[in-house]
Amino acid sequence: MAVIEIQNLRKTYKTGFWRKTEKEGLKGISFEVREGEVFGCLGPNGAGKTTTLKILMGLIFPSGGTARILGMDIHDPRVKQQIGFLPEQPYLYDYLTPLELLEYYAGLSGVPARERRKRSEAALARAGMSEAANMPMRKCSKGMLQRVGIAQAIVHDPKVVFLDEPMSGLDPIGRREVRELIQSLHDEGKTVFFSTHILTDAEAICDRVAVLDRGELKGVDVVADLLSKARGKVEITWQGQPKIESIRAMSLDYHATGESVRAVVKEADTDRVVDAVRQAGARLVSVTPVHGALEEYFLAKVDAPKKEAEE
Amino acid sequence: MRARLALIAANTFREAVRDRVLYNLVFFALLMVAAAPLFGVISIGVEKIFMVNLGLAAIVLFGVVIAIFVGTGLVSKEIEKRTLYTVLARPVARWEFILGKYLGLAATLAVNTSCMAAGFFVAVAYVSVGLHAADVNLLVALYLIGLQLLVMTALAILFSSFSTPIFSAAFSFAMFVIGNFVEDMRGFAAMSGGPEGWLVRGLSYLVPNLGAMNVAAQVAHGQPVPGALILADTANALFYAVAALAAAVLIFERRDLK
Amino acid sequence: MTGGAISRWAMTALLLSAAGAAYTSYRLERMRSGATLDDVLLVQSPKMVKAASLGYTGLAADIYWTRTVQYFGGKHREKAMRYELLRPMLALTTDLDPQLTVAYEFGSFFLAQKPPEGAGDPQAAVDLVKKGIAANPRNWRLYYHLGFVEYEERKDVIAAADAFEAGSRVPGALPWMKVMAAAMRQKGGEIDTARYMWTNIYESSDDPLIKQNAVYRLIALRIDEDVLNLEKMAAEYQKRNGSYPANWQQVIGMGWLKGMPVDPSKTPYRLMADGRVEVQEYQRFPFITRGLPAGKQSIERITEESFKPQQ
């Protein structure tokens, strides 16, 4: 079942002092997000990711096309009961503490008064903010605000969670925690729709991704398929023997720097190469599958029109 | 719906109460009221008259400043700072947001005005050695000030539903000044006559009739305020506030939030 | 509720309450006609008004001046015999802005005229202009207004001459100030001087009320002069022939008149048996002092029946 259905969605902005210049934010995009899926919306800044999210949240109105969430029109008030939203770089009421903010928002989302405190504390704990729950938000760091933002998106236990750049402003540990949080939402059967311009984040947790560029949808694909296309390449590094001709012959890429060598070979040849390294008496340093599939996909999709234009 | 309105109003009140600027304003208003007996010394025999005029002027001015600055900040600041996003992504209709904000600010102003009024009565009691029966008129004057603030708050929210905080504040303040001179505006219209006169006269009906809600001069002289005037002022203020809020909702319902 | 339904509700509420607001504003206007005057009644202390105007005393003075004109206009329309508030309002206006010379010029005019044309208080008018002169000693026009009131309303030729002379010494004063002063000094030249003054007022004023008044004054002066001359002729005729002329033909026969003497409405003057001359429709000519039937008073205001001169 499709949880989010987007049909030929368009948005034109009027800009300039007299609002005469028209700028196309979205040029008619269509895709679906299925139930229980973690769906990534990828693209460089200005691609239309936030515009899409803002239309879905009813913050701006589309110039054309339709969007439905859980089978209902996005302006149907019942939709809002079922969704949670983290805006990009959330600005939250800085005169409140995280706990006060979450209780307020839980109330707005219809959580009964006696459950608000418990649910707010639980959401803060999930976002790793339990300790700062009563600290005024104007004293919170950017990373802490991001965590509070995530907590407010899930405090009312929504079916669908929308996250705009959820990893931005976080340190590597924070990114991993958010990744794990999304994973746990996924495990609970929730649908997660998030946007990012950081590919590795999407690669690690998405079931499928949509790639947007300058208001156009460049493609929608299953991440596992993308990864399997890239499987079959392994990077092997060793030290001590710069020239092993048998390996060089079967390598896709071979690069020696002094005593260290880095070779990229087909996955099927991994055992033979490792044997050859050992036989040559070199010290094996690492054997790593080559990633970056999504990056290749992304760059291919995003750069295609540019290259066409150059040609 | 009612629960959400109450929550938004309560949060608006909390925001205002936690804002330090507000305390400064109330403090200055009280200071001004407290200083009024000193001014009275200059003009012997009219201490109380002077005190009442100045005290009521201070209450209305500071009330309006709070209504305008907090009121214009309420909506446009939430848009500018994008705090509105996380609210409107919840089951909160835009009109509920506007109305909840209005109610919250009205409650804030009610509390502030009461504080200032309490200080004012202390000062009046000090100057005239105790309170007298005629001082009931002062309560009427304060009630009419409350009406003015209700109107100004609605206007501030209307302007901030489509403009930046600074412009909203400027527009609102201009309306406050013009609103106090509606009757003079009609005087100008009568003097000039012709199409311009009719235009000015027509415009005078678009401006809140705040001048009619200012009875400081009468009550300072212990004159009662006619019941019919209180009634007409109440109706005028409520109609005006509802019209301004309805216009704010109309604009805000269709607006793209940047 | 959908967005459309809310907009319809809001539109209905807007229209109904806007109508209500406009209607109650209209009711308030009826209820408080002359409300702006209450302030003047209650607060006659310029010190207090100055405090209330927060330093914008110039603006406050402009507003009080408008109110004064309103008040005067209203009273004038209802042909009031008393203008109680005129003096305090003018005092307040000129206290707030002593440089607002228009308030002295027109204010003295409003004050000096006999009711119902004005407050009939030439002493107050003189005091007001003197206050204006004290605040603006380099404004020669104020001396002119002082002289005008002294002469026209108080019949004090000496005081008028003093005022014109003092004014003529102010740098920039127009030369006719000297003429006025000199004319005042000349006894018997009253009609000519008055004509000079009223012509000047007619030419220098933009106010239709004042212009109209000046025209009637000039007409009255012409009639006074006509009657004076015609009566002189009748007296001369009696001196030469022993009896007053029986009709104008006899005077024309003496060669003293070229034709039938007529008033500005082209109606012939009536020659009486005792040598007096009467204006036939004297009711149509306000302000005339001569040619009135015996026992009739001069009409001191412009009425519906007044002769309508072609301008």
Side-chain angles (χ1 to χ4, degrees):
Chain A
M1 184 205 155
V3 166
I4 303 168
E5 298 157 80
I6 291 175
Q7 281 286 329
N8 195 25
L9 205 59
R10 288 191 301 109
K11 179 68 189 173
T12 44
Y13 291 106
K14 290 195 168 85
T15 54
F17 187 73
W18 300 107
R19 302 183 156 255
K20 281 202 171 148
T21 330
E22 285 213 340
K23 208 186 112 199
E24 284 197 296
L26 285 181
K27 301 173 183 170
I29 60 165
S30 308
F31 63 84
E32 285 185 3
V33 177
R34 297 174 200 135
E35 185 168 9
E37 182 167 63
V38 175
F39 190 91
C41 194
L42 281 176
N45 291 328
K49 294 169 297 187
T50 298
T51 303
T52 308
L53 270 167
K54 279 163 88 177
I55 291 175
L56 287 172
M57 293 303 104
L59 297 172
I60 60 177
F61 298 91
S63 313
T66 56
R68 299 172 77 78
I69 298 175
L70 295 164
M72 295 178 272
D73 184 89
I74 42 170
H75 294 293
D76 191 323
R78 285 172 297 168
V79 167
K80 303 277 179 72
Q81 306 271 11
Q82 314 276 6
I83 61 175
F85 174 49
L86 165 74
E88 187 180 2
Q89 293 169 9
Y91 288 87
L92 304 163
Y93 298 109
D94 56 9
Y95 53 90
L96 297 179
T97 67
L99 189 59
E100 284 169 338
L101 181 87
L102 261 76
E103 286 187 55
Y104 173 44
Y105 279 177
L108 289 182
S109 288
V111 174
R114 57 186 142 53
E115 285 181 38
R116 283 178 205 156
R117 169 63 63 92
K118 201 180 69 196
R119 293 248 209 126
S120 302
E121 283 171 346
L124 285 171
R126 271 188 95 166
M129 275 297 289
S130 288
E131 286 177 16
N134 292 309
M135 169 178 169
M137 268 194 287
R138 77 176 80 82
K139 290 183 185 161
C140 286
S141 69
K142 229 180 147 192
M144 289 162 102
L145 290 177
Q146 188 75 15
R147 286 162 187 266
V148 178
I150 291 167
Q152 63 81 31
I154 58 172
V155 67
H156 51 298
D157 195 25
K159 281 192 185 146
V160 193
V161 183
F162 294 85
L163 308 168
D164 198 355
E165 301 279 0
M167 272 63 142
S168 75
L170 294 176
D171 57 21
I173 299 165
R175 304 173 85 87
R176 201 187 64 216
E177 284 173 1
V178 171
R179 223 177 285 161
E180 284 166 7
L181 181 74
I182 293 174
Q183 201 62 52
S184 74
L185 292 171
H186 181 54
D187 295 343
E188 288 166 28
K190 297 193 190 309
T191 310
V192 180
F193 179 105
F194 79 94
S195 79
T196 182
H197 66 276
I198 299 161
L199 302 165
T200 46
D201 291 339
E203 197 174 321
I205 49 175
C206 286
D207 295 316
R208 292 196 304 148
V209 291
V211 177
L212 285 179
D213 184 41
R214 278 162 285 181
E216 285 175 69
L217 183 67
K218 294 294 178 181
V220 183
D221 226 326
V222 176
V223 175
D225 287 355
L226 292 174
L227 291 175
S228 71
K229 276 180 203 157
R231 283 272 152 72
K233 284 187 201 169
V234 175
E235 186 191 78
I236 298 170
T237 56
W238 68 88
Q239 281 190 319
Q241 286 290 342
K243 283 173 189 169
I244 304 174
E245 285 306 323
S246 62
I247 298 176
R248 191 201 278 264
M250 66 177 88
S251 290
L252 300 167
D253 187 18
Y254 190 96
H255 195 81
T257 315
E259 287 284 278
S260 298
V261 186
R262 176 181 158 274
V264 178
V265 299
K266 286 184 190 145
E267 193 181 16
D269 295 332
T270 312
D271 289 346
R272 278 200 282 159
V273 174
V274 172
D275 288 345
V277 170
R278 288 203 181 121
Q279 277 164 16
R283 189 160 61 84
L284 189 64
V285 177
S286 68
V287 179
T288 335
V290 177
H291 273 251
L294 211 44
E295 190 152 9
E296 280 168 24
Y297 178 86
F298 182 75
L299 290 175
K301 293 293 183 190
V302 169
D303 285 343
K306 263 190 224 159
K307 276 180 186 154
E308 278 163 27
E310 279 162 21
E311 285 160 13
Chain B
M1 173 196 108
R2 220 177 292 163
R4 287 192 296 272
L5 280 182
L7 277 167
I8 296 169
N11 193 54
T12 305
F13 183 77
R14 184 158 55 176
E15 172 176 6
V17 168
R18 289 189 183 177
D19 195 339
R20 254 172 245 156
V21 178
L22 191 75
Y23 290 103
N24 290 338
L25 285 174
V26 174
F27 174 74
F28 272 111
L30 284 174
L31 201 69
M32 202 162 152
V33 171
L38 303 177
F39 287 115
V41 175
I42 308 165
S43 34
I44 295 153
V46 293
E47 289 98 334
K48 187 172 174 187
I49 296 168
F50 199 86
M51 158 85 233
V52 168
N53 272 316
L54 196 69
L56 290 176
I59 291 173
V60 81
L61 272 182
F62 283 98
V64 162
V65 168
I66 294 169
I68 290 176
F69 283 96
V70 183
T72 52
L74 278 181
V75 178
S76 40
K77 201 173 73 195
E78 293 232 8
I79 297 170
E80 214 154 80
K81 287 192 160 187
R82 292 185 277 177
T83 43
L84 197 51
Y85 290 6
T86 43
V87 175
L88 291 185
R90 293 174 192 282
V92 176
R94 292 188 178 193
W95 68 268
E96 289 176 334
F97 177 76
I98 296 271
L99 199 56
K101 282 274 162 188
Y102 180 72
L103 295 175
L105 183 53
T108 312
L109 286 166
V111 171
N112 284 334
T113 310
S114 306
C115 288
M116 292 192 274
F120 171 65
F121 272 109
V122 169
V124 169
Y126 171 78
V127 168
S128 57
V129 196
L131 292 173
H132 308 279
D135 292 334
V136 171
N137 294 321
L138 299 180
L139 280 177
V140 175
L142 287 167
Y143 168 74
L144 294 180
I145 285 175
L147 290 182
Q148 293 188 52
L149 297 183
L150 283 183
V151 169
M152 285 315 300
T153 308
L155 271 178
I157 287 184
L158 169 59
F159 288 130
S160 67
S161 72
F162 63 85
S163 187
T164 61
I166 292 183
F167 274 113
S168 306
F171 288 150
S172 307
F173 196 73
M175 285 296 254
F176 173 68
V177 173
I178 299 169
N180 267 292
F181 291 102
V182 166
E183 277 150 351
D184 284 300
M185 204 169 147
R186 289 181 188 146
F188 281 120
M191 256 169 91
S192 61
E196 315 95 83
W198 283 105
L199 186 73
V200 173
R201 209 180 145 75
L203 285 176
S204 79
Y205 289 106
L206 292 179
V207 179
N209 198 340
L210 300 176
M213 300 175 201
N214 180 0
V215 292
Q218 274 118 289
V219 300
H221 287 78
Q223 289 184 5
V225 181
L229 179 71
I230 301 173
L231 208 66
D233 271 338
T234 307
N236 184 246
L238 293 183
F239 275 130
Y240 202 90
V242 171
L245 286 176
V249 167
L250 267 180
I251 293 167
F252 197 57
E253 275 295 324
R254 296 162 189 202
R255 190 176 162 183
D256 273 352
L257 300 174
K258 286 282 144 61
Chain C
M1 264 195 287
T2 63
I6 291 163
S7 292
R8 277 194 297 279
W9 270 101
M11 185 55 93
T12 313
L14 171 62
L15 291 177
L16 287 179
S17 43
Y23 175 71
T24 44
S25 190
Y26 174 73
R27 294 287 309 189
L28 281 166
E29 181 188 354
R30 300 292 298 269
M31 199 179 287
R32 283 164 53 84
S33 65
T36 51
L37 304 174
D38 284 358
D39 292 359
V40 187
L41 265 175
L42 295 167
V43 187
Q44 293 190 358
S45 149
K47 214 192 286 174
M48 213 174 269
V49 176
K50 265 181 200 168
S53 64
L54 298 174
Y56 291 94
T57 48
L59 186 64
D62 293 345
I63 286 168
Y64 274 99
W65 172 238
T66 308
R67 289 176 176 182
T68 308
V69 176
Q70 278 292 110
Y71 173 77
F72 178 75
K75 286 276 176 186
H76 192 261
R77 267 196 300 280
E78 68 190 39
K79 306 203 191 313
M81 299 305 286
R82 286 167 62 80
Y83 291 73
E84 313 88 340
L85 285 181
L86 196 55
R87 262 178 78 177
M89 286 177 100
L90 285 166
L92 198 50
T93 306
T94 52
D95 276 345
L96 285 169
D97 186 356
Q99 269 75 49
L100 191 69
T101 48
V102 67
Y104 302 111
E105 295 178 14
F106 288 87
S108 64
F109 183 75
F110 295 161
L111 281 171
Q113 297 267 78
K114 282 196 188 73
E117 298 299 322
D121 190 350
Q123 182 57 52
V126 166
D127 292 345
L128 181 70
V129 185
K130 281 185 175 163
K131 177 179 169 187
I133 288 171
N136 307 276
R138 301 182 69 81
N139 187 323
W140 61 269
R141 294 190 59 89
L142 291 173
Y143 294 93
Y144 167 75
H145 284 276
L146 178 61
F148 177 79
V149 175
E150 292 282 19
Y151 171 70
E152 187 64 26
E153 306 294 343
R154 300 223 304 172
K155 313 290 178 206
D156 187 339
V157 184
I158 304 301
D162 289 346
F164 287 127
E165 236 177 81
S168 72
R169 282 195 292 269
V170 173
L174 285 185
W176 52 261
M177 286 292 283
K178 280 200 184 93
V179 179
M180 297 294 289
M184 285 292 127
R185 296 287 180 213
Q186 274 180 348
K187 282 270 189 179
E190 278 168 5
I191 286 178
D192 284 341
T193 314
R195 177 179 292 128
Y196 195 94
M197 285 164 72
W198 282 112
T199 306
N200 194 273
I201 288 162
Y202 179 82
E203 281 162 2
S204 62
S205 172
D206 291 327
D207 188 287
L209 209 71
I210 290 174
K211 269 180 134 55
Q212 188 199 39
N213 199 330
V215 167
Y216 279 102
R217 292 283 189 173
L218 286 167
I219 290 169
L221 285 174
R222 194 199 126 184
I223 291 173
D224 282 0
E225 196 176 27
D226 282 353
V227 172
L228 187 72
N229 285 335
L230 291 172
E231 284 180 347
K232 271 186 193 156
M233 286 175 198
E236 186 65 28
Y237 188 94
Q238 192 261 353
K239 208 183 276 174
R240 296 194 188 179
N241 302 322
S243 65
Y244 288 109
N247 53 46
W248 289 120
Q249 295 308 325
Q250 293 178 342
V251 184
I252 294 166
M254 297 296 288
W256 296 339
L257 282 171
K258 288 202 176 92
M260 197 62 126
V262 291
D263 66 27
S265 70
K266 308 275 187 258
T267 313
Y269 290 106
R270 182 184 288 150
L271 181 61
M272 310 304 284
D274 58 357
R276 282 192 310 110
V277 173
E278 283 184 9
V279 180
Q280 297 210 32
E281 295 173 356
Y282 74 96
Q283 302 95 328
R284 300 187 65 196
F285 298 104
F287 312 127
I288 55 172
T289 57
R290 294 169 193 269
L292 292 159
K296 295 290 180 188
Q297 292 267 313
S298 117
I299 294 157
E300 286 298 328
R301 63 191 167 92
I302 301 157
T303 64
E304 288 291 307
E305 303 99 78
S306 294
F307 166 70
K308 306 248 170 348
Q310 279 153 0
Q311 310 232 345

